[in-house]
Amino acid sequence: MQLSSYSKPLRYVILGVFAFIFLYPIFLMIVSSFKSDVEILTHPLELPKHFSLENFVEVWQKVQFSDYVWNSVLVTGVSIFFILFIGSLAAFYLSRYSFKWNKFLLFFFMIGLMLPMKLAILPLYIMMIHLHLLNSLASLMVIYVAHGMPLAVFIFYAFFRTVPKDLEQSAKLDGCNDFQVYYKIVLPLMKPALSTVGIVNLISIWNDFFYPLIFIHDENLKTIPLGMQTLFGQYSTDWSLLFAGLTLASLPMIIAFMFASRQFVEGLTTGAVK
């Protein structure tokens, strides 16, 4: 009895320590975005003496930050949409219909989880040249959709296997075709899986630096991670603008994560009621 009385406060202490470890770097980044370079170098762990938005205004104007944000939003949004749409349709078909190549196609998608696409960067580069997609945002979208498809199919396939087929049969008796069954019956129950796949791909696509570095050459087509590289000089770095840019870049992802997390909880509750 005495041991159990101390277990709950101990859990809160441990969770508080881990929360501090993970949240303090974010707090330090936001605080440093309001400082000058001198304050960051001389007093890196202290609060700024004066809170001002000059760093945010300057980074927005100096490095074409609005173009970087628009490019990142466009590439991330389009890529996630096609990953969710195509991946859910493919997983629904593989889990609900039996045909000769069913297991082979599923294994084909699973291979994508084992083989990193970065090993095939040279064939991908040559393919983009032949498709006339090099130095365009479409090249990033194609690569991100292909990169996120195996995990999406894997998660959606596992989810569809848990959905009872009685719901689909009842919908077909009411006159729904296969796509209407997917859109009206199955899709509303998929919010947990959609949120999971969306969050995972959002983080990886939004923060990706490797593929834009290889496939994007024009300044006006750069995404945020690649565009922020301009703030790193050969002999000096403008740390105040860098932290301001990182803070602006992280805000959309934090907001989207909070929204998707809420949808995840609502999806669990809705699925339980249905």
Side-chain angles (χ1 to χ4, degrees), residues 10 26 36-37 69 210 263:
L10 182 61
I26 300 176
S36 62
D37 287 343
V69 172
F210 179 77
Q263 291 296 109

Side-chain angles (χ1 to χ4, degrees), residues 61-80:
Q61 298 174 349
K62 182 177 180 180
V63 296
Q64 301 178 359
F65 198 81
S66 58
D67 294 337
Y68 302 153
V69 172
W70 166 247
N71 294 334
S72 294
V73 171
L74 181 62
V75 171
T76 305
V78 174
S79 300
I80 291 179

Side-chain angles (χ1 to χ4, degrees), residues 117 121 124 127-128 138-148 211 215:
M117 286 185 60
I121 190 62
L124 286 175
M127 183 181 69
M128 293 303 166
S139 63
L140 298 180
M141 298 176 189
V142 171
I143 292 175
Y144 289 143
V145 171
H147 185 270
Y211 291 120
F215 296 104

Side-chain angles (χ1 to χ4, degrees), residues 8-71:
K8 190 172 183 180
L10 182 61
R11 294 175 187 173
Y12 284 116
V13 171
I14 295 175
L15 291 175
V17 171
F18 278 100
F20 176 80
I21 293 174
F22 286 107
L23 293 178
Y24 184 73
I26 300 176
F27 171 77
L28 190 62
M29 176 189 69
I30 297 175
V31 169
S32 299
S33 65
F34 295 96
K35 297 181 180 179
S36 62
D37 287 343
V38 177
E39 287 184 282
I40 293 175
L41 296 176
T42 56
H43 306 286
L45 302 180
E46 296 182 3
L47 294 175
K49 296 180 180 179
H50 305 284
F51 285 90
S52 175
L53 299 178
E54 293 181 2
N55 292 334
F56 296 95
V57 175
E58 186 175 355
V59 74
W60 191 271
Q61 298 174 349
K62 182 177 180 180
V63 296
Q64 301 178 359
F65 198 81
S66 58
D67 294 337
Y68 302 153
V69 172
W70 166 247
N71 294 334

Side-chain angles (χ1 to χ4, degrees), residues 5 7 18 22-23 50 60 86 89 107 171 201 216 254 260 263 272:
S5 62
S7 61
F18 278 100
F22 286 107
L23 293 178
H50 305 284
W60 191 271
I86 300 176
L89 282 178
F107 179 73
N201 286 281
I216 299 298
I254 293 174
Q263 291 296 109

